[in-house]
């Protein structure tokens, strides 16, 4: 059976259940906002414990990466992601999840060929393009502002 791209698109459209866009947006906003509120609460707690502003910000990042990886390992982050969708991808905890998930998935293949080789499968392109876009932005900033 041969279909044109338009016929295939119509076929898929008819087979897919409708997506509750408004509800998905609300869930993403609430879950992502809750993660950010946890980060702000940690920041305030570190400041109250006497940390300097820069140190508190660093400790928040460390804490959120740790919590994201821990919740991924316990299987909680996946359930949270099913509920909150993109709201769990944007914060730093989504980065931790993207690193920890392949590590857990491929751990049965061993430390070298499994864990070490696959740990950056998902997050590797994010790192590469993040660095590349930062370098391009830096060059453009220097060129446009002058030396």
């Amino acid at each position: 059976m041969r279909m044109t791209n338009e016929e295939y698109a119509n076929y898929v459209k008819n087979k897919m259940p409708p997506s509750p866009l408004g509800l998905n947006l609300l869930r993403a906003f609430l879950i992502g906002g809750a993660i950010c509120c946890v980060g702000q609460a940690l920041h305030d707690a570190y400041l109250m414990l006497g940390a300097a502003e820069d140190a508190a910000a660093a400790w928040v990042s460390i804490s959120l990466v740790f919590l994201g990886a821990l919740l991924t390992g316990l299987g909680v982050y996946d359930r949270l992601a099913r509920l909150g969708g993109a709201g769990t991808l944007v914060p730093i905890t989504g980065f931790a999840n993207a690193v920890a998930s392949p590590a857990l998935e491929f751990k049965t293949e061993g430390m070298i060929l499994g864990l070490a080789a696959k740990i950056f499968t998902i997050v590797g392109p994010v790192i590469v393009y993040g660095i590349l876009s930062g370098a391009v932005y830096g060059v453009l900033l220097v060129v446009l502002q002058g030396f």
Side-chain angles (χ1 to χ4, degrees), residues 2 4 46 54 60 67 72 80 94 106 109 123 132 143:
R2 299 195 79 161
T4 66
Y46 291 135
D54 291 345
V60 169
L67 288 172
T72 298
L80 192 62
F106 294 104
E109 296 180 24
V123 81
L132 181 63
V143 169

Side-chain angles (χ1 to χ4, degrees), residues 112-125:
I112 303 296
L113 296 176
L115 182 84
K118 305 285 186 177
I119 194 166
F120 291 111
T121 302
I122 296 172
V123 81

Side-chain angles (χ1 to χ4, degrees), residues 1 10 15 25 28 32-33 46 67 71 76 90 101 111 113 121-122 124 129 138 142:
M1 177 178 186
N10 287 332
K15 293 291 181 183
L25 289 172
Y46 291 135
L67 288 172
L71 293 176
V76 174
V90 176
S101 291
M111 290 297 288
L113 296 176
T121 302
I122 296 172
Y129 290 115
V142 168

Side-chain angles (χ1 to χ4, degrees), residues 36-122:
C36 293
C37 285
V38 168
Q40 185 64 49
L42 287 169
H43 183 263
D44 293 346
Y46 291 135
L47 288 177
M48 285 187 356
L49 291 172
E53 181 70 33
D54 291 345
W59 278 108
V60 169
S61 296
I62 292 167
S63 300
L64 289 176
V65 167
F66 171 76
L67 288 172
L70 177 67
L71 293 176
T72 298
L74 296 174
V76 174
Y77 205 86
D78 292 338
R79 286 180 281 182
L80 192 62
R82 270 187 237 112
L83 178 67
T88 60
L89 295 177
V90 176
I92 195 168
T93 52
F95 180 81
N97 176 264
V99 172
S101 291
L104 292 171
E105 184 176 345
F106 294 104
K107 70 180 178 183
T108 57
E109 296 180 24
M111 290 297 288
I112 303 296
L113 296 176
L115 182 84
K118 305 285 186 177
I119 194 166
F120 291 111
T121 302
I122 296 172

